[in-house]
Amino acid sequence: MSDSDPFSTHEVLNQSPIFGDIDLYASDQVLSEAIHREGGEGAAGRLRSFGALAGSRDMLEEGRLANESPPRLRRFDEKGRPLDIVEYHPAYHRLMATSMAAGLHCSVWEHLATPGASPRPGAHVERAGAFYMAAQMEAGHCCPITMTSAAVATLIEEPAIARVLLPRILSRDYDRRIRPMTDKTAITIGMGMTEKQGGTDVRANTTRATPIANGGPGGEYLITGHKWFMSAPMSDAFLVLAQAPGGLACFLMPRLLPDGSANPIRIQRLKDKLGNRSNASAEVEFARTSAWMIGEEGRGIATILAMVTLTRLDCAVSSAGLMRLCLANALLHTRHRKVFGRVLADEPVMTPVLADLALEVEAATALAFRLARAFDHAGDEGEAAFRRLMTPVVKYLVCKTAPGFAAEAMECLGGNGYVEEGLLARAYRELPVNAIWEGSGNVMCLDVLRVMMKEPDAVESVLDGLAKSVAGDRRIATALERVRDILHRPRDIELNARAFVEGLAAVSAAALLRASAPQAVADAYVATRLEGGFARHYGVGLARADMKAIVARALPAGT
């Protein structure tokens, strides 16, 4: 006790360092290897620079501030006129500016600025690497970043509209001003699909679109109805679904009209969400709100699916990134914390848990970046088949695994993991959204079944490719045969859809690890995920694994 301070009753000892000022790229061996393996080797310098920034204490502090001061709705101005403005903490705007300066909202589309140019090789893999780290920096702001990037895939179906918007989407500025899109240096795009009565079943949407004049592709419509979830309501425009005379259609709805007047979008309230709190989501109403059709009447789902597919990739990438953040924190804490006179990480009951968590991150990362490579090779028939089948498969496994994974990592820190001062409590609240957004687990399974029915050759192409890649490993080949066997029972296919998707995802991860990871990692993954049966908790079934080698590979370098 100090004589000058009577409350100085103890010294703070046996605590781990605060997580921060860590280069999220250079310290992550699994990430850097995935980038090089999947075609992004030329991006190492750029990713290292972004990783150092994203993992800095300054940017992690911005994430804390943005989540502790969530957005708020200003319905009216001081004279009672409607405003419908969502105000964000300055930290949120700094996060947006950082990710947009890095091109996370546009980098895969920059070739469109030059007529006839081809996409940059490895663009999707490079962007996935940066997005993986941006989610660790702060995940909520990644929502409008994702939607802006993914929206381009839909907008280019209407060239006249795309020509106006693309220069502003491709800008790396961040222009938060409330102005008509043509008066801004940069814009962001949000999305509104679901309604109260249907949710995922967007065919049940009741919002109506009435054409002005003849309507049709590129034509103006007036939309009346609602959206149960409108993501990022301060975006400059939104892609929305509504029932046109010819059926469900996709529309671009600007927040401000070209003359600067407000498009009648009434924000009823902001959602009070479990996580994703730095980012606003809203319930909205439309009252003869102007919007322009993208694609054709009756093809709204097909039109917006190009956007949705890309957002599903981001769900998997960001979940894998947040899993890495949780693992890195667990490793940092357990290596610096002593219990009963020994380092916690070396305790025989803790080492298997850390090794099992490391296996999960390596598998999730391998799957996410292999999927990103498929997007980089869209013109290749085999890669296109892989993308169509494996996008819902990878999203299913990674995003459904992540929430429970975060809970186990939090337990490694004990009470230090459960409090809001640290990073894990926020990650734990954040992760369920990726399993829900853009289709829950059952929706992913139904999408896989759709591919089976409509494109059986694509399914066979992927399974044949897997069989060739694992021909030298009897254990993985046997697991693949069990997955194939489900296809031979078509009467029960929907009942067994989850078994098929989970089995295919695990076999795919095992094949990737067998081809690229150290033997200790691949052997342990196969033994526990393919041969070990169902393990209800982490740390079970690794007694024969080289756990120290697995943990050492996962350690954040320099910590």
Side-chain angles (χ1 to χ4, degrees):
M1 180 184 293
S2 169
D3 293 336
S4 59
D5 182 2
F7 289 101
S8 180
T9 61
H10 67 285
E11 185 178 355
V12 178
L13 300 171
N14 196 26
Q15 284 284 358
S16 57
I18 294 174
F19 188 91
D21 288 334
I22 295 175
D23 185 330
L24 298 179
Y25 183 77
S27 68
D28 188 344
Q29 182 178 356
V30 172
L31 172 62
S32 60
E33 287 182 9
I35 294 292
H36 281 73
R37 181 174 65 248
E38 304 301 352
E41 61 277 0
R46 291 185 294 274
L47 290 173
R48 188 174 293 110
S49 295
F50 185 73
L53 177 61
S56 68
R57 289 200 182 190
D58 286 345
M59 293 312 299
L60 293 175
E61 175 67 6
E62 300 285 26
R64 182 187 70 81
L65 291 170
N67 281 271
E68 287 190 357
S69 303
R72 66 187 187 95
L73 173 61
R74 285 186 64 198
R75 288 291 307 275
F76 303 99
D77 67 14
E78 64 271 22
K79 301 299 182 182
R81 288 182 288 266
L83 273 181
D84 284 326
I85 288 175
V86 180
E87 295 181 327
Y88 297 84
H89 190 277
Y92 174 87
H93 294 299
R94 289 190 285 270
L95 290 160
M96 286 291 295
T98 298
S99 288
M100 291 184 74
L104 300 191
H105 67 297
C106 69
S107 59
V108 298
W109 304 107
E110 288 177 326
H111 63 284
L112 297 176
T114 304
S118 299
R120 180 165 47 83
H124 279 281
V125 170
E126 177 181 348
R127 179 187 173 276
F131 198 78
Y132 182 97
M133 295 184 289
Q136 298 178 59
M137 177 174 70
E138 197 288 310
H141 85 287
C142 292
C143 177
I145 296 293
T146 283
M147 290 187 297
T148 302
S149 177
V152 177
T154 292
L155 291 172
I156 56 178
E157 294 198 21
E158 205 54 57
I161 291 175
R163 277 194 298 271
V164 175
L165 299 186
L166 273 177
R168 293 163 181 84
I169 292 176
L170 297 180
S171 168
R172 295 199 178 195
D173 290 341
Y174 172 55
D175 189 343
R176 55 184 279 194
R177 297 176 301 162
I178 302 174
R179 299 281 190 279
M181 288 189 286
T182 53
D183 293 344
K184 298 186 66 170
T185 60
I187 61 173
T188 57
I189 309 294
M191 178 168 55
M193 293 177 63
T194 61
E195 299 181 5
K196 296 183 182 74
Q197 71 284 345
T200 299
D201 183 10
V202 294
R203 294 187 187 278
N205 284 6
T206 60
T207 295
R208 297 289 168 183
T210 303
I212 294 178
N214 295 325
E220 185 178 0
Y221 286 67
L222 296 178
I223 296 184
T224 300
H226 81 285
K227 292 296 168 186
W228 186 228
F229 273 91
M230 176 84 94
S231 298
M234 288 309 287
S235 299
D236 296 286
F238 310 91
L239 288 173
V240 302
L241 294 177
Q243 299 285 359
L248 194 67
C250 179
F251 298 88
L252 177 74
M253 179 184 288
R255 189 153 55 88
L256 295 183
L257 296 171
D259 64 3
S261 62
N263 209 4
I265 302 172
R266 171 62 54 83
I267 300 177
Q268 295 177 298
R269 63 169 176 164
L270 299 185
K271 296 287 192 179
D272 187 6
K273 298 173 291 184
L274 168 68
N276 200 248
R277 297 187 70 84
S278 68
N279 173 58
S281 302
E283 294 176 35
V284 299
E285 287 183 302
F286 310 133
R288 293 177 60 80
T289 305
S290 291
W292 282 260
M293 183 177 284
I294 308 294
E296 301 175 1
E297 291 187 3
R299 290 190 50 80
I301 294 176
T303 300
I304 208 165
L305 193 59
M307 177 184 188
V308 169
T309 300
L310 285 163
T311 60
R312 287 175 174 174
L313 170 63
D314 276 6
C315 286
V317 170
S318 61
S319 286
L322 285 170
M323 290 168 68
R324 169 61 189 179
L325 178 70
C326 293
L327 173 63
N329 274 264
L331 291 169
L332 181 67
H333 180 79
T334 56
R335 289 177 65 232
H336 289 84
R337 182 81 161 182
K338 288 187 177 180
V339 293
F340 311 119
R342 293 188 295 185
V343 175
L344 178 56
D346 295 335
E347 289 284 355
V349 293
M350 178 58 77
T351 305
V353 174
L354 296 173
D356 218 357
L357 292 172
L359 288 177
E360 206 78 87
V361 170
E362 182 134 6
T365 303
L367 285 169
F369 283 89
R370 173 62 184 91
L371 182 59
R373 173 157 69 95
F375 282 81
D376 274 323
H377 297 275
D380 180 280
E381 186 175 334
E383 291 296 301
F386 186 92
R387 186 181 70 250
R388 288 194 294 275
L389 177 64
M390 294 303 292
T391 297
V393 169
V394 172
K395 180 185 182 297
Y396 176 97
L397 183 70
V398 176
C399 296
K400 287 189 69 62
T401 298
F405 177 97
E408 188 69 48
M410 189 187 303
E411 192 172 324
C412 294
L413 278 72
N416 285 339
Y418 194 67
V419 295
E420 294 292 345
E421 285 89 346
L423 294 169
L424 294 202
R426 188 168 80 232
Y428 178 68
R429 286 188 283 103
E430 188 72 37
L431 279 164
V433 72
N434 283 338
I436 295 170
W437 192 44
E438 303 298 18
S440 64
N442 281 345
V443 173
M444 294 303 96
C445 291
L446 292 174
D447 281 358
V448 169
L449 295 184
R450 249 180 240 110
V451 177
M452 289 180 181
M453 290 185 290
K454 293 184 177 181
E455 301 179 75
D457 290 345
V459 178
E460 287 301 323
S461 170
V462 173
L463 295 179
D464 288 346
L466 264 177
K468 290 178 183 177
S469 71
V470 302
D473 192 309
R474 177 190 54 78
R475 297 177 300 170
I476 306 178
T478 299
L480 178 58
E481 285 307 308
R482 290 197 296 269
V483 173
R484 278 189 183 273
D485 183 59
I486 297 174
L487 293 177
H488 301 150
R489 290 177 275 147
R491 291 180 59 185
D492 300 325
I493 192 66
E494 189 166 335
L495 184 65
N496 292 311
R498 285 197 173 211
F500 178 82
V501 171
E502 289 188 16
L504 178 56
V507 168
S508 299
L512 289 169
L513 297 182
R514 174 62 69 211
S516 62
Q519 184 174 346
V521 172
D523 284 349
Y525 188 87
V526 171
T528 53
R529 272 62 173 180
L530 299 186
E531 291 189 320
F534 178 69
R536 192 172 293 277
H537 301 294
Y538 288 99
V540 178
L542 277 84
R544 297 183 180 180
D546 189 347
M547 293 177 283
K548 290 185 177 179
I550 295 168
V551 172
R553 175 172 168 79
L555 287 175
T559 61

